[in-house]
Amino acid sequence: MSDTRFAPSPTGYLHRGHAYSALFAAEAARTSGGRFILRIEDIDRSRCRPEYTDAIFEDLAWLGLQWEQPVRRQSEHMADYQAALAKLEGLGVLYKCVCTRADIKREIAAAGAAPHLAGDGGEPLYPGTCRKRPVSEVAKLVANGAAYALRLDLAAAVAIAGPLAWHDRTEGTQIARPELLGDAVLARKDVPTSYHLAVTVDDHLQGIGLVTRGQDLFGATHLHCLLQKLLGLPTPAYHHHKLLTDPDGQRLAKRAGSASLRDLRNAGMAARALRDDLGFS
Ligand code: GLU
């Protein structure tokens, strides 16, 4: 029996790719006799809007899905992420980073070599500037009002955690390579958590036994395994499912203006037809 979850960010209307992901998770829960959980990942205050959260409920209900109540909204649980950060702080695997994006770009350019890209989306890996600075120098900048993020000291974390692996339902046993993501941000300058930290904490607190999500997040799992180990949490099983593409092979995306579920509905499409089309009759 495995509980699963669908965890959208309310930054736009859901499209067919989200419908596939939600139906996939619900089906995986159903076939294993587990619960299907909906979680609203709304930590990014500048991009998330309450009307998109309402639209998520409406669109998923239209699709015929039912989920556990109450729905967890990450923005209401900062204390849980704070507690996880305190634990990591206690292990000595966090450091303050005052770098701006421009600083990081400059530092990478100055190093002269082609930057290594993070495994989860192609951002250049952080070159470790603030990890190498004297702590007193960073403290002074912070005292003078510099905004700071908290980053994971990857080498220190890996030294504590040792080798790690996860079971992937499609790919089999995977050796975790968190170095692909470098010194990831665990608390942002504007929000006292990050996607990676919040998702790791929540999947545990919500008892998720099988994390189903798109292949685009495969890279993130390397880091999530490391965070689970550091926080003393069990590693769930994972199933990274295919991503839907539009007719010219582009991945569906909110920002690329892919037709939303409400566009399809308003154009007269029946939920049953969409479910059939996505392979969930
Ligand atoms: N909130 C993430 C998104 O909308 C998904 C997180 C996850 O499934 O781990 O892309």
Side-chain angles (χ1 to χ4, degrees):
M1 196 184 83
S2 295
D3 292 347
T4 67
R5 59 22 170 223
F6 174 55
S9 303
T11 56
Y13 293 119
L14 301 185
H15 53 62
R16 288 162 53 95
H18 295 108
Y20 180 82
S21 201
L23 289 164
F24 190 96
E27 183 61 12
R30 194 187 64 77
T31 53
S32 81
R35 299 176 304 156
F36 170 59
I37 287 166
L38 172 64
R39 179 168 75 229
I40 301 296
E41 302 213 322
D42 58 351
I43 59 168
D44 191 335
R45 290 188 203 116
S46 62
R47 295 176 59 226
C48 295
R49 302 225 304 253
E51 58 267 37
Y52 291 136
T53 299
D54 294 343
I56 288 169
F57 298 144
E58 218 176 276
D59 291 346
L60 296 182
W62 171 72
L63 265 180
L65 291 171
Q66 286 181 322
W67 52 90
E68 295 290 311
Q69 299 290 344
V71 171
R72 184 175 172 93
R73 297 171 194 232
Q74 290 187 323
S75 58
E76 295 170 356
H77 296 278
M78 291 298 159
D80 290 330
Y81 314 131
Q82 216 51 57
L85 286 170
K87 192 155 187 182
L88 296 174
E89 178 72 48
L91 293 174
V93 296
L94 295 183
Y95 65 90
K96 291 190 174 107
C97 171
V98 294
C99 292
T100 60
R101 271 173 196 266
D103 293 335
I104 296 172
K105 242 179 158 170
R106 216 176 304 119
E107 175 91 1
I108 289 170
H116 293 288
L117 299 182
D120 70 338
E123 287 249 330
L125 283 189
Y126 180 63
T129 320
C130 282
R131 176 172 31 78
K132 297 174 210 156
R133 280 193 227 253
V135 176
S136 58
E137 187 185 314
V138 178
K140 204 162 158 193
L141 291 167
V142 170
N144 287 334
Y148 65 88
L150 291 175
R151 285 186 182 272
L152 182 68
D153 180 337
L154 179 82
V158 167
I160 293 173
L164 300 166
W166 82 84
H167 175 67
D168 201 280
R169 289 260 173 117
T170 44
E171 306 288 327
T173 300
Q174 297 293 303
I175 303 299
R177 294 193 294 146
E179 64 278 9
L180 293 174
L181 287 95
D183 285 3
V185 169
L186 297 188
R188 295 161 38 153
K189 287 181 178 175
D190 58 338
V191 191
T193 184
S194 70
Y195 160 65
H196 296 300
L197 184 73
V199 88
T200 301
V201 168
D202 285 356
D203 282 340
H204 171 68
L205 290 179
Q206 296 194 286
I208 306 301
L210 172 65
V211 173
T212 67
R213 58 185 177 199
Q215 268 159 3
D216 54 328
L217 289 168
F218 192 96
T221 306
H222 291 285
L223 172 59
H224 299 177
C225 278
L226 174 59
L227 295 177
Q228 284 149 3
K229 183 68 191 276
L230 295 170
L231 293 169
L233 313 176
T235 293
Y238 286 86
H239 189 144
H240 297 94
H241 62 67
K242 69 172 182 183
L243 297 175
L244 298 195
T245 52
D246 63 19
D248 46 332
Q250 295 289 333
R251 203 185 124 194
L252 299 183
K254 286 174 198 160
R255 55 183 172 281
S258 301
S260 66
L261 299 185
R262 50 197 45 220
D263 291 340
L264 298 174
R265 182 157 82 238
N266 291 337
M269 186 166 205
R272 174 179 287 261
L274 178 59
R275 292 175 71 113
D276 285 351
D277 200 33
L278 295 173
F280 298 94
S281 300

